[in-house]
Every structure is written in C-alpha cells, then in structure tokens.
Amino acid sequence: MEKLNIKIFQVNRLAFTAAKKEYIICILLYLLVSGNVFLNLYYSEYNMNLAYDLLNRKITFANSAIGIAGFTIGMICFSILNTIKKYIENKLILKFSYNIEYNLDEQLSKISWEYFETHDINLKIHETRTKGLDSMKSILRNSLYYISIIPLIFIYLYYLFRIYWIFVLVYFILFFLFNKKAQSLYKILGELWENTKEKSQKQEYLFKLTGDMTEHQEYKFYRMYHYISNKWDQEFENEYKITSGIYRKTEILNKLASVLYNIPRILILLVTMYEVAVGKLDVGIIIAINSVLTSITNMIMQIQENIQDDIVNSYFVRIYNEILGFITSEDRIKVENTDIVFRNITYSYPQSNVFALKNINLTIKKGEKIFIVGTNGSGKTTFTNLILSLIQNYEGILMTPSLKKISVITQEFLEYQGTVRDNILLNNKNISDPEIWEILKKVGLYDYIYGLPDKLNTFLGHLENGIQLSKGQWQKIAMARLLAKKDASIWILDEPTAHLDPLSEIEVYNLVKNLAGDRTVIFISHRLGFSKDADRVIVFDKGRIVEEGTHDALIQNTTSYYSKLYLGQLEWYI
C-alpha cells in the first residue's frame, strides 16, 4: 500500500507540474461540490418531515414552499459548480496528457537504440505508449475522487452520530478488516494482470496484420487467414483463461464486500426505526439514514474498486518512471573528431551471447569513400549504429564528428505521414522551396511531384486523404532528405538502392559520386555497383573485418569473399 501511495503521489505531482492553476482549482471545486450530498440528505429528511407535518396539519403549504424554493436554488448553484468543475477537470486532463506524452516522446527520442533490442524493455515501452497515459489519467481521476471523500466523511459521521456512536466504530472496524484482506487479493490480481501483457501484445500484432496495407498484401497472397487466425485464437484463449479467473475473483470479492457492509446497515436501520417509534427522532431521519448508509456502502465499494484499478495502473507509472530514467544517447562521452576512428571496438546486443562486432580497429579519413559489404548479420548495420550514437554499451574507443555533421539513409527508412515538403525537410529549416525542387530533380522525382495538384504541399500517406507512393519513390524521398542536409560532412547510405530499379540504382550511384565532393561517404549494400568508385572496400563477416582494400586489389584475389561475391553478381548480367 505504501508503494501505491507513492505512485499516486507521483501522478498528482506530474498533474500539478503540468497545470498548477487547474489542479488547485479542480481540488477546491471537488471539495465544494461534495456539499451537494449534504444538501440532498438535509432536504430528503426535511421533505419527509414536511410531508408528515402537512398531513397532520402542523404547518401550512406556504411555509413548506419556502423550504422547497431554498432547496431548488441550492441545487441550481451546485449544478453550476459541477459544470465548472467538469470544464476545469477536462482542461487539467488535457494539459496532463500533453505533458505525459511529451516527456515520454522526448525521452524515447534520446535513449539508446539498445533499449529497443531488449525484449523486456521493448515490451515496457510498448505498454507505456499504448496504456500508460490512460492508466495515469485513471489514477489522477481516482485521486480527485479520494479528495472529494474528505467532506463526505464528516457529513456521514454527523448523521451516524445522531443515532448511536457505536455504529460508527462498527463501520470502521469492518472497513479496515475487509480492506486488509482485500489488499492481499488485489495484489494477486495485479500479478495475474501482468501475465496477460505479453499475450495482449501478440494479439494486437496478429490482429493488425489484416489492416496494414503492406502486410495485408502478403497476408492475402499466401492465404494466411486460417494460419494467423489460429495463432490469434490460441493467444486469445491463453489470455481468456487468465482474465476470466481475475474477473471471477473480483466478483467474489465485491459480493463479499456487499454482504459485510449490509449487515451493519440493517442493524442501524432497525435502531433508527425504533428511535422514531419511541419519539426520540423525527420520521424524516429514516430516509436520511437510509441514504447515508447507501452512500457509505457505495463509497466504500467505489474506494475498493478504485484501489484495485490503482494497483494495476501503478505498474504503468513505475515503468513510465523507469523509461524516463533510461540513459540517453548523449550521456555516453564520445570523442569528437574530423575522422571516424574505431579502436578495439567490441559490442554484443543485450539478448545475444554472440559478438555483433569484435575488436574492430579502423580509421576512415575525412573525405574517404568507403564501401561496406558482408552477409546478413555480419555487423554492417551495427557498425553504422555506433557512428550514429544509437549504441552505447560498447567496449573500446570511438571518435566521430558531431551528429549534426552526419546525414543518413537507414535501411528501414520511415515513410512519414506528411507533406512532400515536410518529408524532405523534417527538422531542417535552412532550405528553400527552389532548393527542394532542385533536389527532387537530382533524385528523379521532379516531374512526378510537379504534376501533383498540391505539388510540395501534397500529403503523403493515408492520413488526410493523402497519396501513397511506391517503395522506390519513398526511397527517393529518403535520398532527398540526405541531400537536404547541406552542411553534412558525412553521408551514410545503408542499402539505399534496395527498392530501386536498375536504372534508378545507377542514377543514385552517379548522384553520390558527383555530389559527395569532399564529404566522407559510407555506402553499405549487397549490390556492388558503387564499390569500384570507392576508395576502400571493407568486408565484414561474423562481426569482424576480414578483408579491406581497393576494388582492384580485392578482385585480384580470386579466393577472397569479395571476389566471389562480385563475380557471382557479374554472372547475373552476362
């Protein structure tokens, strides 16, 4: 329970930081609106007594109308307060949501790429992005509810003490006994919910296969419905067994609570009716006490339900804080240099016992054109990720220029849902529209984009009724992004022609060769068209550099991996 209190405090501190004014006003309004309960209780007792007195002709109708008018005015005032409360609460939730998502996105943009390579952490990131915000909003709303209970406790105690103080003790004793028992069960429920998380993620993945355009193509072609559906059924069945057990235990718990709370309620009502019968209390108190007992039962049940939700949701607060505490890419001290220098660099991924890179010693001079080749999993992409500061926990010394001086096309380039202009510029503001058109000419997209009605303002992707490009056209957009970073002194191109036709591939080779100038170029590809124009060819195998030299020098060694690969590809075209 202590840890839960800490998580609730953390959420409220985040809310206060996000919207100080709205948070304070919201608390005050919650406290004020709670007075509506007293108004209803008071007038339920008043109206019952009023009806009894009218029946016995103890008062006139004119006198009773004054009381009803006062009640009506009070209800209107509380209704206005409640409307204002909802408005302020919505503003608080909006600012809170923005702050949570902004902090999370900012942190995820800075953390090391290695975190995404670890299964457990990747799962936590997925859970936080999909469920974290809703969970923290739930805790915040429950916190506001807990605050509103404070005046209600005094209101209910006032009415209970009008009967007999011993019943107040009965309620509190039962509450604390049940709460202690409930917490142990809720802890078990929280642990059971955690077992469903991985299965839920698998379900979401399998379910979305039919709705993603790229994946649907292969899904449909291979008639994968029954295969995927059976896997989805299996994951659903596994989760169903766990969740149904959780729901069953929850219902049993709630029913037990209902029985416990109704026992003292019946006793109090019997005592109240006796007090009325002997003339110690007015008849209206029966209605008021019945309402109080109903409200107390509902309140305690609501508290238990909220605590149950808070225990489950506190998990997401914990992993949210854990993610915000991850080491960012900037935290590793790296020596900046005009050259790229690897000294005894060794690295293995978090969940692998195999070295992705082993004892890499390499210097790439400023202005050199380097061609990197190797089989899948040989370490090529890991090598570039180190240069891009995406990987932190390596051994050895790494010296590179500042990231601001690097422009890159990654192997899995993104297809941003935005305009043509936005896709090329991204965060680059130092380029004009005429320069963008020149770049589009260089990458072979000028005629196509110019022919579109909105030209550079054309939205790409499925949002806002945008248009969808072919994979090759998207790759040219990625190439345009590389060229748009004019002050870059290093170009890294990881499989930049994978989705291009042969003629477009040659155009990219010529483009890089003609425009690179004195820039350092690192070209990674399985296709060796650029290798003849490179100053050096570096061959990776099993995380090591196994061959290094010019194209002409390596091709002369007929037993080398590079020679065999080059001659093998040459045969495709002869």
Side-chain angles (χ1 to χ4, degrees):
M1 192 68 178
E2 182 180 353
K3 291 183 178 179
L4 177 60
N5 291 337
I6 293 173
K7 297 297 184 294
I8 293 174
F9 172 76
Q10 289 172 343
V11 169
N12 280 269
R13 184 176 60 187
L14 289 170
F16 179 75
T17 303
K20 294 181 178 65
K21 181 175 71 175
E22 287 80 2
Y23 181 78
I24 293 171
I25 294 174
C26 201
I27 288 176
L28 292 174
L29 287 171
Y30 260 87
L31 292 172
L32 287 173
V33 170
S34 296
N36 186 44
V37 174
F38 179 77
L39 181 68
N40 281 297
L41 289 172
Y42 177 82
Y43 272 98
S44 64
E45 179 183 0
Y46 174 82
N47 288 335
M48 185 65 183
N49 291 331
L50 184 67
Y52 182 80
D53 290 342
L54 282 172
L55 186 64
N56 292 285
R57 302 183 184 280
K58 293 182 179 181
I59 61 171
T60 64
F61 178 77
N63 292 332
S64 65
I66 296 174
I68 295 173
F71 172 70
T72 303
I73 293 171
M75 290 298 294
I76 292 173
C77 291
F78 278 112
S79 177
I80 293 171
L81 277 176
N82 195 50
T83 301
I84 296 172
K85 184 202 76 173
K86 289 180 179 179
Y87 171 71
I88 297 297
E89 182 180 353
N90 286 333
K91 285 185 66 176
L92 170 63
I93 294 295
L94 284 173
K95 290 186 176 182
F96 174 73
S97 301
Y98 171 81
N99 205 47
I100 293 296
E101 293 192 325
Y102 179 85
N103 290 339
L104 181 62
D105 285 345
E106 183 181 41
Q107 176 67 356
L108 291 177
S109 71
K110 293 179 179 180
I111 65 174
S112 171
W113 183 67
E114 293 162 296
Y115 286 112
F116 293 92
E117 285 290 313
T118 305
H119 171 74
D120 291 342
I121 293 178
N122 193 37
L123 180 61
K124 289 178 180 178
I125 291 173
H126 168 79
E127 290 172 340
T128 306
R129 291 190 67 87
T130 56
K131 302 175 183 178
L133 177 59
D134 287 340
S135 296
M136 285 191 272
K137 286 195 292 187
S138 175
I139 290 177
L140 178 58
R141 287 194 172 99
N142 287 347
S143 300
L144 294 171
Y145 174 75
Y146 299 145
I147 291 169
S148 70
I149 287 173
I150 296 173
L152 295 181
I153 292 173
F154 290 100
I155 293 169
Y156 296 151
L157 287 176
Y158 164 75
Y159 277 94
L160 288 176
F161 275 121
R162 290 175 65 185
I163 309 300
Y164 193 42
W165 66 267
I166 194 67
F167 290 103
V168 178
L169 292 179
V170 171
Y171 261 99
F172 279 112
I173 290 170
L174 283 176
F175 173 76
F176 285 114
L177 287 176
F178 175 72
N179 185 66
K180 186 175 181 181
K181 181 66 178 176
Q183 292 309 312
S184 61
L185 182 55
Y186 287 145
K187 183 178 180 181
I188 296 173
L189 295 178
E191 292 171 353
L192 289 174
W193 277 116
E194 288 197 32
N195 294 331
T196 68
K197 291 182 175 66
E198 186 172 346
K199 293 177 176 57
S200 178
Q201 186 185 22
K202 290 180 180 177
Q203 276 192 67
E204 291 175 12
Y205 166 72
L206 293 170
F207 184 73
K208 81 179 185 67
L209 288 176
T210 56
D212 184 270
M213 187 186 74
T214 304
E215 293 166 339
H216 182 78
Q217 185 179 28
E218 189 167 309
Y219 178 92
K220 186 79 172 177
F221 177 77
Y222 285 108
R223 295 176 174 83
M224 295 169 63
Y225 170 73
H226 293 292
Y227 172 74
I228 298 297
S229 178
N230 288 336
K231 282 184 169 291
W232 183 85
D233 284 342
Q234 184 179 356
E235 294 299 332
F236 181 85
E237 183 65 25
N238 291 336
E239 185 180 12
Y240 174 80
K241 290 177 182 178
I242 298 174
T243 54
S244 60
I246 295 173
Y247 291 141
R248 183 173 60 253
K249 290 182 179 181
T250 302
E251 287 303 314
I252 292 172
L253 180 64
N254 289 335
K255 294 303 179 184
L256 176 61
S258 178
V259 171
L260 288 173
Y261 294 135
N262 275 299
I263 291 174
R265 173 180 177 170
I266 294 171
L267 292 174
I268 290 178
L269 283 174
L270 289 173
V271 172
T272 304
M273 286 187 286
Y274 173 79
E275 297 281 296
V276 172
V278 298
K280 291 183 178 180
L281 295 171
D282 293 330
V283 67
I285 193 66
I286 297 176
I287 302 298
I289 289 296
N290 186 57
S291 297
V292 167
L293 296 176
T294 301
S295 298
I296 289 175
T297 301
N298 292 338
M299 182 183 74
I300 295 175
M301 295 296 290
Q302 186 64 54
I303 290 172
Q304 294 295 343
E305 184 178 334
N306 288 359
I307 290 175
Q308 177 185 350
D309 290 340
D310 289 344
I311 289 173
V312 174
N313 291 329
S314 66
Y315 166 80
F316 297 101
V317 180
R318 178 172 66 80
I319 61 175
Y320 173 82
N321 290 329
E322 184 180 336
I323 290 171
L324 292 188
F326 286 167
I327 298 173
T328 61
S329 298
E330 291 81 5
D331 291 335
R332 170 96 187 220
I333 297 175
K334 187 177 67 173
V335 181
E336 289 192 5
N337 194 43
T338 55
D339 299 335
I340 298 172
V341 180
F342 281 67
R343 291 181 182 169
N344 297 319
I345 295 292
T346 296
Y347 176 77
S348 62
Y349 286 99
Q351 297 184 110
S352 175
N353 295 322
V354 179
F355 288 110
L357 293 176
K358 181 68 173 177
N359 293 331
I360 301 298
N361 287 281
L362 178 69
T363 298
I364 300 175
K365 294 291 185 181
K366 180 181 178 181
E368 267 196 292
K369 310 300 183 283
I370 302 296
F371 186 84
I372 295 178
V373 67
T375 58
N376 290 332
S378 62
K380 304 185 303 297
T381 300
T382 305
F383 175 79
T384 58
N385 284 339
L386 279 163
I387 298 174
L388 296 172
S389 295
L390 295 175
I391 293 174
Q392 297 297 314
N393 296 318
Y394 57 84
E395 298 176 10
I397 297 174
L398 175 60
M399 295 184 283
T400 70
S402 167
L403 287 176
K404 296 177 181 179
K405 296 295 183 180
I406 300 176
S407 191
V408 62
I409 298 179
T410 60
Q411 188 172 351
E412 299 296 334
F413 58 86
L414 291 180
E415 301 170 5
Y416 293 98
Q417 305 278 307
T419 65
V420 175
R421 181 186 291 104
D422 292 340
N423 261 276
I424 294 172
L425 293 181
L426 294 184
N427 197 36
N428 183 3
K429 300 178 181 179
N430 299 320
I431 187 169
S432 62
D433 281 1
E435 289 175 303
I436 294 176
W437 285 114
E438 284 300 314
I439 290 173
L440 290 173
K441 284 181 182 179
K442 292 171 182 176
V443 299
L445 280 178
Y446 178 89
D447 291 339
Y448 178 77
I449 301 298
Y450 193 80
L452 297 172
D454 295 324
K455 296 180 172 55
L456 295 179
N457 293 318
T458 301
F459 202 92
L460 304 180
H462 295 296
L463 300 177
E464 299 185 17
N465 296 317
I467 65 169
Q468 183 61 40
L469 302 180
S470 69
K471 199 68 177 180
Q473 289 172 318
W474 275 115
Q475 192 151 38
K476 290 179 178 180
I477 290 288
M479 189 70 192
R481 282 201 289 269
L482 178 95
L483 299 178
K485 196 169 181 180
K486 297 181 292 184
D487 58 347
S489 60
I490 296 176
W491 284 355
I492 297 177
L493 302 93
D494 193 351
E495 298 288 357
T497 62
H499 303 283
L500 299 181
D501 59 78
L503 290 177
S504 296
E505 182 180 3
I506 293 171
E507 289 175 2
V508 169
Y509 293 154
N510 291 331
L511 182 68
V512 173
K513 183 170 62 175
N514 296 331
L515 296 181
D518 60 354
R519 293 184 179 91
T520 303
V521 176
I522 300 174
F523 202 109
I524 304 167
S525 180
H526 287 95
R527 294 190 273 190
L528 308 182
F530 186 76
S531 61
K532 290 189 293 184
D533 295 310
D535 297 318
R536 273 189 295 166
V537 175
I538 299 173
V539 182
F540 277 84
D541 184 41
K542 297 179 181 179
R544 297 176 182 270
I545 296 175
V546 294
E547 295 173 7
E548 182 179 352
T550 65
H551 165 77
D552 293 336
L554 291 175
I555 204 68
Q556 290 176 6
N557 181 2
T558 57
T559 61
S560 69
Y561 170 83
Y562 178 79
S563 177
K564 292 177 181 178
L565 182 62
Y566 183 81
L567 293 175
Q569 290 191 18
L570 190 63
E571 290 177 357
W572 298 349
Y573 304 102
I574 297 178

